[in-house]
Amino acid sequence: MMRQIARRVPVAYGAAIRQVHIEKRIEELGYKLPTVSAPKGNYVLTRRLNDNTVFTAGHLPLPPDGGDLITGKVGDDLTAEEGYEAAKHVAINMLASLKYELGDLDKIKGLVKVFGIVNCVDGFPNQPAVINGFSDTIVEILGDKGKHARSAIGTNALPLNVAVEVEAIFEVEE
């Protein structure tokens, strides 16, 4: 019953119902989906489970222009703000992997869970602020579909000395 009411309310007020097109939103925000690179090891970037759940591998901060990975230890080589920017790149890279898996980003029903890891110095307390770069970018693009549960932790090293790594679980259309 609630679903029918929700659909009727905008029409009753003369507003058009429109579907959000995620790729158009990405473009409007000035982002560009990069070409998906092959994994750096013996794994896959995404794994679909039960037709409507996609698990991602850890994604890394590679700028969309194909530059070098963003490396270094937050709190020493990088500031928290630079870590935040690195995490934004991870979000765009992850969406590119999902586009490759799904064919259409509009098939994303929601982001369920995020696990973010920050390569940081001992005593660095702001891992959540760094991983906000990922979370803020995803919510900016997906809107309410991008709101998620999350963990953000720090570690003394990450593969290839990257600044951040993020993995996630998405609910998708079958």
Side-chain angles (χ1 to χ4, degrees):
M1 186 66 157
M2 290 296 288
R3 181 171 235 155
Q4 290 175 330
I5 292 170
R7 286 185 182 165
R8 289 183 187 156
V9 170
V11 176
Y13 291 104
I17 297 175
R18 76 176 193 93
Q19 182 172 349
V20 175
H21 296 286
I22 295 171
E23 289 179 64
K24 183 176 180 187
R25 177 80 176 139
I26 290 169
E27 185 179 313
E28 288 170 353
L29 292 168
Y31 299 118
K32 182 180 178 200
L33 292 178
T35 302
V36 176
S37 301
K40 306 282 187 228
N42 188 15
Y43 63 93
V44 294
L45 294 174
T46 59
R47 174 83 164 125
R48 203 163 182 161
L49 178 69
N50 299 330
D51 293 330
N52 65 348
T53 305
V54 175
F55 289 77
T56 72
H59 278 64
L60 307 179
L62 184 65
D65 61 9
D68 294 331
L69 283 168
I70 299 170
T71 60
K73 197 170 287 290
V74 178
D76 185 17
D77 307 312
L78 302 169
T79 65
E81 293 77 18
E82 290 169 321
Y84 177 95
E85 290 299 317
K88 289 176 73 168
H89 291 306
V90 176
I92 299 302
N93 291 328
M94 189 174 289
L95 289 173
S97 293
L98 285 166
K99 164 82 173 154
Y100 184 82
E101 171 70 28
L102 302 172
D104 180 359
L105 291 176
D106 288 328
K107 291 181 179 179
I108 295 172
K109 292 172 81 174
L111 176 51
V112 178
K113 173 77 167 126
V114 167
F115 181 65
I117 311 163
V118 180
N119 179 6
C120 59
V121 297
D122 289 345
F124 180 78
N126 297 320
Q127 294 86 357
V130 171
I131 300 302
N132 278 346
F134 178 91
S135 296
D136 292 348
T137 303
I138 289 291
V139 172
E140 179 183 35
I141 292 168
L142 299 180
D144 285 345
K145 292 180 181 183
K147 293 183 179 176
H148 52 273
R150 184 184 85 181
S151 299
I153 66 165
T155 187
N156 65 344
L158 281 171
L160 306 173
N161 195 36
V162 294
V164 295
E165 180 174 350
V166 180
E167 60 184 52
I169 303 168
F170 287 84
E171 180 184 12
V172 298
E173 294 176 6
E174 292 185 33

